[in-house]
Amino acid sequence: MESVTRYLDWLISFFGTEASLSKSAASAALTILAGTIFWFIAKRILTLLENNADLLKRIQVKRELFAVLRKITGIVLIWMVGVIWIRLFHITAVEKMFHAVLIVIAATPIKSLLLIVLGYLEQNLAARTETNLDNIVIDLLNKFSGAIVYATAVVIALDVMGVNVMPFIAGAGVMGVAVGFAAKDTLSNLIAGILLIIDRPFEIGDRIEVWSAPAGSATWGDVIDIGLRATRIKTTDNIVVIIPNNEIMTRDIVNYTILSSSIRVRVNIGIAYDADIAKAKQLIIQAAQTADWILAHPAPKVVVRNFGDSSVGLQLRVWIQDARKRMDTISHVTDTVKTVFDQNGIEIPYPKRDITIVRHPPVPSRPKKDTPAP
């Protein structure tokens, strides 16, 4: 900044340090004109680059970058013109305040630029590496980039104004301890959210089991957002369940799609004891093969699971290519098996109770004995 300021002082000295008011006004007007011309030139260049951004496929430039560059260019021009005006009219009393305000204003486009750079790194660098460390760092920076940039801008602005920031930092530390005790549940969820990002037991789009779903509704859904305080899961009933991260970290997480979208589905089927087990197995496999989403490899398999009170328990085991069709698979197989069993005389038993009523002949009554009088 000192070198830039010296350059601006050189520009001002071109008009003379002891310039008259009229000459200072003329110089100020000339400065505004030069800044406006430079702004139109820079805007024109950025517009041309934006219109030809599709040609830059090698570096994959995002169009949002040009809007951020326009804002940064405008802030730089305002800063240069403002400094020249302050030096020309000798109002240096507000110079530090002017620098501090522009630093805080510049924090917004800088944060946007940082997010664009992080997105570029995530797409072109992190996705090509074998480790997850860079993905974790980029995710954390995406979450905290706004707080980091704005806090840094405020500290720099206070330092430019000559304010000693150490007492504020110390006070913030004491206040942080007090707030930590008062909001321990929120901080616990915040730490749990960071651990979820680091450990990655699930990601956005994964199908997981939902243990806190409303009674009578679907018990699994897709992760739609992993926040620092809570995670949002949309069930198959289109209900969004918001679960605090601290609660998630204390529960077993069942993830159906963390490895792949293919899972094995088990369907329990009971047949009568006098039914032909081999024929029943063949019919069940034929019923499973009618669904086009059930994989042929590994092939469907039927095993004898147990012997129940009134039935032989069979279990169909099939692999499906989409975990989200688990319930559709169970419904389709159950419906089809019932139909083919009825057509082929295979009985699906249900609990029965045989009641036998035994009638005994009436017992003849005995005559009463007369008791002698006393």
Side-chain angles (χ1 to χ4, degrees):
M1 180 177 291
E2 293 181 358
S3 60
V4 177
T5 305
R6 286 197 299 267
Y7 179 72
L8 293 175
D9 290 336
W10 177 81
L11 288 177
I12 296 170
S13 64
F14 176 77
F15 299 98
T17 56
E18 300 294 336
S20 62
L21 181 60
S22 60
K23 188 175 181 180
S24 298
S27 301
L30 182 61
T31 302
I32 294 178
L33 179 61
T36 304
I37 295 174
F38 185 81
W39 163 249
F40 279 110
I41 293 175
K43 184 178 179 181
R44 181 61 178 172
I45 294 174
L46 291 174
T47 302
L48 290 174
L49 291 175
E50 182 178 4
N51 294 333
N52 294 277
D54 297 335
L55 301 178
L56 303 176
K57 297 180 180 180
R58 184 178 182 85
I59 58 177
Q60 299 178 357
V61 178
K62 294 185 177 180
R63 293 188 177 272
E64 294 83 357
L65 176 64
F66 298 100
V68 175
L69 292 178
R70 290 191 190 96
K71 294 180 181 179
I72 295 177
T73 303
I75 292 174
V76 171
L77 289 175
I78 292 173
W79 174 73
M80 294 178 64
V81 173
V83 171
I84 292 176
W85 272 48
I86 290 172
R87 300 295 176 82
L88 284 174
F89 294 102
H90 305 287
I91 48 177
T92 56
V94 298
E95 184 174 0
K96 292 183 178 180
M97 178 66 71
F98 178 73
H99 290 312
V101 171
L102 281 183
I103 289 173
V104 175
I105 293 175
T108 299
I110 290 176
K111 184 201 75 171
S112 301
L113 180 61
L114 179 60
L115 290 177
I116 293 174
V117 173
L118 290 175
Y120 178 82
L121 292 177
E122 184 178 8
Q123 183 179 0
N124 296 276
L125 179 62
R128 298 178 182 178
T129 57
E130 297 180 357
T131 63
N132 291 327
L133 181 60
D134 46 7
N135 295 327
I136 295 170
V137 172
I138 292 176
D139 285 342
L140 291 177
L141 288 177
N142 281 325
K143 298 288 186 181
F144 294 101
S145 59
I148 294 173
V149 171
Y150 285 116
T152 304
V154 171
V155 171
I156 295 175
L158 291 175
D159 184 65
V160 168
M161 295 178 62
V163 178
N164 186 9
V165 297
M166 293 307 298
F168 293 99
I169 296 176
V174 175
M175 185 178 295
V177 174
V179 172
F181 282 106
K184 59 180 180 180
D185 292 337
T186 302
L187 290 178
S188 177
N189 288 323
L190 178 63
I191 296 173
I194 296 175
L195 292 177
L196 283 176
I197 295 175
I198 295 176
D199 293 340
R200 291 178 177 269
F202 51 77
E203 296 181 355
I204 295 177
D206 282 353
R207 174 64 61 91
I208 68 173
E209 198 75 26
V210 183
W211 58 87
S212 58
S217 64
T219 59
W220 63 342
D222 297 328
V223 180
I224 60 176
D225 180 65
I226 304 174
L228 291 177
R229 190 195 67 84
T231 297
R232 290 174 172 81
I233 304 169
K234 185 176 72 173
T235 68
T236 54
D237 293 338
N238 202 30
I239 298 174
V240 177
V241 181
I242 302 175
I243 306 176
N245 291 330
N246 188 31
E247 182 179 348
I248 294 177
M249 295 300 295
T250 59
R251 299 294 296 264
D252 294 334
I253 300 174
V254 180
N255 193 329
Y256 291 92
T257 57
I258 189 172
L259 296 178
S260 67
S261 60
S262 299
I263 63 170
R264 185 165 69 176
V265 179
R266 301 166 184 256
V267 184
N268 296 324
I269 301 170
I271 62 174
Y273 273 94
D274 55 355
D276 188 345
I277 294 180
K279 184 178 181 181
K281 288 183 176 181
Q282 182 181 1
L283 292 174
I284 293 173
I285 291 177
Q286 290 177 0
Q289 292 173 343
T290 59
D292 56 357
W293 64 85
I294 294 179
L295 299 177
H297 302 284
K301 182 180 181 181
V302 180
V303 298
V304 178
R305 188 166 176 264
N306 56 32
F307 296 102
D309 294 336
S310 59
S311 65
V312 178
L314 303 181
Q315 186 179 79
L316 169 66
R317 300 174 181 177
V318 297
W319 284 87
I320 59 176
Q321 59 187 3
D322 186 2
R324 291 169 175 79
K325 298 185 73 68
R326 175 172 171 266
M327 294 306 300
D328 293 338
T329 303
I330 296 175
S331 175
H332 175 81
V333 169
T334 304
D335 185 27
T336 308
V337 166
K338 176 64 169 61
T339 301
V340 297
F341 275 10
D342 291 343
Q343 295 173 351
N344 291 271
I346 303 295
E347 180 184 359
I348 300 177
Y350 52 89
K352 299 177 181 179
R353 295 292 183 270
D354 294 333
I355 300 177
T356 303
I357 299 176
V358 180
R359 297 182 178 273
H360 296 283
V363 179
S365 61
R366 295 180 180 181
K368 295 183 179 179
K369 293 183 180 182
D370 296 334
T371 56

